[in-house]
Amino acid sequence: MRVVVQEAPFDFGVEAAAFAEGRAVSGAVVTFTGIVRDVDGGLQAMEIEHYPGMTESALTDIAAEAKTRWSLEDALVIHRHGRLEVGEMIMMVATAARHRKDAFEAAEFLMDYLKSRAPFWKREVTADGADWVAARDEDEDALTRW
Amino acid sequence: MRVVVQEAPFDFGVEAAAFAEGRAVSGAVVTFTGIVRDVDGGLQAMEIEHYPGMTESALTDIAAEAKTRWSLEDALVIHRHGRLEVGEMIMMVATAARHRKDAFEAAEFLMDYLKSRAPFWKREVTADGADWVAARDEDEDALTRW
Amino acid sequence: MDVLYFAWVRERIGIPREAVETQAGTVMDLVEELRGKEERYAAAFADISALRVAVDQQLTDFDASLSGAREVAFFPPMTGG
Amino acid sequence: MDVLYFAWVRERIGIPREAVETQAGTVMDLVEELRGKEERYAAAFADISALRVAVDQQLTDFDASLSGAREVAFFPPMTGG
């Protein structure tokens, strides 16, 4: 289980391949990648603030919780902070399990918790200025599934 | 949308990175990778037979169906046939969407349909001989979700 | 009409494909004809609930029409992924 | 006790962190003290339903005890992922 919080870009292909490589026990690997998306054509950048120290421990707790709930062989979380341009990768999670259902559900669980329980705050920078992204009710509601 | 059926190995890291690269519209990319798993410690290889021609059209139909059901920007399916060793990657799917829910659900849908509706047959080779893998009721049942 | 066999159906019948002269109206009619050919066919088609069929590379049912069909394939439930 | 502010809470109060001398028994008691300091604090803490709190880097509630706490952080709902 690995949790990484960093400002620098990460190499999704290299991370995904290394995670999936040579797993003779796990038959299923799921990855999720979040990318800075230009919602209305006016986004210049995304700025991500975080809470150093708490971020790492919150992500570690979330990954550990996933391992208690599903039969997971391994999990990986990488999340960036700082300024990101449109098209850049914000974060990724990866899960490895014997069965695809565990790998899928654990990855969705990690995403749902990470959205609303890890101390990151996004700010969208447009030509009109910069605005904090509001938490969406549906992200909070997503937690009730688990 | 891309569907590939091949005997040769594919490079999961390269494929995953190319699929996710520079998506300014899609915020969410999900991948699933299936790996030859040594279930009971005695597996020597997995042999995968397929139905050339029908395989490609069945996978294309399944991917097209996913695009009608979810708001997908793109989808990728790669599936190998022939002889694979333990730890080798059998197949992968990837989905790109604006929202993570669409990307996750479409990837699970692709996997569920591909398991039971694409003309592949697996045979496990062990020290005791070779046996066709029986279809699992739960794989057929998984289709009722959609 | 080309008739194709895959996986253990192919192994049981002993060939991957053959050309069959038939006037069968439905898949089930064709199955009955094949059953009558030889014991290995009768064995392969003993329990059709264990089989799947595709006509011209489209999955279908055993009561499907063979009108205009060029290729029929028999195989066990698929195990991809 | 170190008190930290993130995102728009940080912007509204104008500083990312400060050392606070307090005998507050609970997070809510601390909020009341801060509200009384200056208008910018009153504004930031006007609606605590829009805020989240962590004590010693663990998410908690506004009625949580501050006994033994070294670090309290206030911030809006998180938007990671």
Side-chain angles (χ1 to χ4, degrees), chain A residues 10 22 29-30 40 43 71 74 77 104 117 122 125 137 143:
Chain A
F10 60 92
V29 169
V30 169
D40 302 309
L43 193 72
S71 184
D74 201 0
V77 179
F104 270 118
R117 292 291 181 271
K122 290 198 187 105
V125 182
D137 286 344
L143 300 186

Side-chain angles (χ1 to χ4, degrees), chain D:
Chain D
M1 182 184 297
D2 285 325
V3 182
L4 283 67
Y5 310 110
F6 291 96
W8 61 254
V9 182
R10 172 180 54 72
E11 290 181 330
R12 205 159 294 180
I13 292 176
I15 50 174
R17 63 159 52 210
E18 61 186 318
V20 173
E21 289 295 324
T22 178
Q23 300 304 316
T26 68
V27 172
M28 202 58 223
D29 295 340
L30 176 62
V31 167
E32 295 295 355
E33 283 183 22
L34 292 168
R35 276 175 176 161
K37 277 177 82 163
E38 281 178 53
E39 174 52 33
R40 59 197 165 105
Y41 288 91
F45 288 104
D47 176 14
I48 63 163
S49 76
L51 296 180
R52 300 292 179 267
V53 61
V55 173
D56 289 334
Q57 306 194 352
Q58 292 285 332
L59 279 177
T60 186
D61 301 314
F62 282 80
D63 56 6
S65 164
L66 290 182
S67 165
R70 288 155 310 173
E71 185 173 301
V72 179
F74 296 101
F75 40 77
M78 293 149 279
T79 53

Side-chain angles (χ1 to χ4, degrees), chain A residues 30-72:
Chain A
V30 169
T31 72
F32 176 92
T33 314
I35 298 165
V36 179
R37 178 164 67 94
D38 186 2
V39 185
D40 302 309
L43 193 72
Q44 294 178 343
M46 178 81 84
E47 290 174 359
I48 302 177
E49 182 169 335
H50 80 122
Y51 183 169
M54 179 173 164
T55 313
E56 291 79 358
S57 65
L59 293 176
T60 302
D61 287 353
I62 293 166
E65 176 70 19
K67 285 194 88 169
T68 69
R69 294 195 187 204
W70 287 276
S71 184
L72 278 192

